[in-house]
Amino acid sequence: MTVLLSTILTLSVLGILAAVVLYFVAQKFKVEEDPRIDEVEKMLPGANCGGCGFAGCRGMADALVKNDDISALFCPVGGGDTMKGIASYLGKAAPEKEPMVATVRCGGVCDKRPRTNTFDGAKSCAVASSLYVGETACSFGCLGYGDCVDACAFDAIHINPVTGIAEVDVEKCTACGACVKACPKNIIELRKKWPKGRAVYVGCVSKDKGAAVMKACKAGCIGCGKCEKVCAFGAITIENNVAYIDSQKCKLCRKCVNECPTGAIKLVGMEPLPKTPKAPAAKPAEGAAAKPAVAATPAGDDKSAATAKNESVKEQK
């Protein structure tokens, strides 16, 4: 009994000593946290999507409080209003950024991009992309297995069962960029969000030359440059055999849409411009004498023509 009591007493004393030591160590290395971090975190939407560049809203709140210049920090989910509220609370200048929206740059629907084989592996874009080019002859288009759908925390992107291509719901999209990172083909891009859901963009990222593109997809960009020539704002460039429209320079004039021979330029939320009919050939004025047709003389008959002319002159004399 005495041994048992002494053991219990010894363990109790050791536990108390350990608690005292831990208390003083905690006080020694205690880190004081700015209470404003908690308040800023409450002001953020709490999506923890990573669109701001941090692992979660807590990391974003910490950076907003500790940095004097927050112009490079932006919460895509909360948007400009949330950032203005946080900046007002912290007494700092709010960053100004235009609303963005995810855009799927692929127009290779089933009737334009026929299937040439069937993939029997895991239904994952990342897996399929690492193993082969896809179920069509185009190695740049949407695979349609939905990695972007799984990555989206806002139910803003889905695979269209008819076309087999990912489609974005602009009303739900927060431009967090999760789908952009998830796409192994790099066909999803964050672009300027126009009012009323309007947009003009090139629905193709293929870098193949024109002949190869047309064999793989009838809706692909062939890099002909017609759109670039007609754009009056310098918004279109051709690089690596594919056109690109800069959403910051584009004025939505829609002239490029009519010029595209393959329909690779997509128009959303607007009607295309009416195509200008070709001007008819000019008719000669009434009463004007028609010029007689001059028969062409073959090059080999020059000598014969000269001889005939000399004989005619002799007869006149």
Side-chain angles (χ1 to χ4, degrees):
M1 188 67 179
T2 305
V3 176
L4 180 60
L5 292 175
S6 61
T7 302
I8 295 175
L9 182 60
T10 303
L11 291 175
S12 300
V13 172
L14 291 174
I16 294 172
L17 290 174
V20 172
V21 171
L22 289 174
Y23 172 78
F24 283 105
V25 169
Q27 293 299 316
K28 176 70 175 179
F29 297 100
K30 181 173 63 174
V31 177
E32 294 291 344
E33 190 174 53
D34 195 323
R36 295 181 299 171
I37 297 177
D38 292 330
E39 296 300 321
V40 172
E41 185 180 10
K42 293 177 183 178
M43 300 173 73
L44 291 170
N48 295 314
C49 60
C52 58
F54 296 91
C57 294
R58 184 71 179 182
M60 176 67 164
D62 184 74
L64 288 168
V65 171
K66 292 181 178 179
N67 288 279
D68 294 331
D69 182 8
I70 61 173
S71 59
L73 302 175
F74 190 81
C75 173
V77 179
D81 294 337
T82 297
M83 295 306 300
K84 287 179 181 178
I86 293 174
S88 176
Y89 170 74
L90 296 175
K92 301 176 182 180
E96 294 288 342
K97 284 191 178 182
E98 291 180 316
M100 308 290 282
V101 65
T103 304
V104 181
R105 293 184 57 202
C106 179
V109 296
C110 297
D111 59 335
K112 300 290 185 180
R113 184 170 55 125
R115 264 50 181 173
T116 57
N117 59 85
T118 302
F119 179 62
D120 293 330
K123 299 303 180 182
S124 165
C125 297
V127 174
S129 178
S130 64
L131 295 177
Y132 80 136
V133 298
E135 294 184 339
T136 69
C138 177
S139 60
F140 298 90
C142 178
L143 293 170
Y145 295 131
D147 287 20
C148 53
V149 178
D150 296 336
C152 181
F154 306 96
D155 194 37
I157 188 167
H158 296 279
I159 303 297
N160 188 314
V162 177
T163 64
I165 295 178
E167 294 181 353
V168 177
D169 186 337
V170 295
E171 298 301 325
K172 293 182 179 180
C173 180
T174 60
C176 69
C179 59
V180 178
K181 298 175 183 176
C183 180
K185 294 294 186 179
N186 298 317
I187 63 171
I188 306 179
E189 176 190 16
L190 291 180
R191 295 178 62 83
K192 177 181 178 181
K193 185 176 183 180
W194 292 96
K196 299 180 181 180
R198 297 178 295 176
V200 176
Y201 63 94
V202 179
C204 181
V205 297
S206 175
K207 296 179 176 59
D208 288 338
K209 293 184 178 180
V213 172
M214 293 308 294
K215 288 181 181 179
C217 179
K218 300 301 182 184
C221 175
I222 58 176
C224 64
K226 290 183 178 180
C227 55
E228 183 181 23
K229 293 177 182 177
V230 79
C231 182
F233 307 101
I236 305 178
T237 53
I238 307 294
E239 187 175 352
N240 294 326
N241 303 315
V242 64
Y244 180 77
I245 299 177
D246 188 340
S247 59
Q248 300 299 326
K249 295 181 180 180
C250 178
K251 305 300 181 183
L252 299 179
C253 71
R254 296 166 288 170
K255 291 182 179 179
C256 58
V257 179
N258 289 347
E259 291 296 322
C260 181
T262 65
I265 300 180
K266 304 302 177 184
L267 182 63
V268 181
M270 295 180 292
E271 293 295 327
L273 294 174
K275 292 187 177 181
T276 306
K278 294 183 179 180
K283 296 181 179 180
E286 293 183 2
K291 292 184 179 180
V294 179
T297 304
D301 294 344
D302 289 349
K303 185 175 180 180
S304 300
T307 303
K309 184 178 181 181
N310 291 336
E311 291 178 356
S312 177
V313 172
K314 288 180 180 179
E315 290 177 358
Q316 291 177 0
K317 289 182 180 180

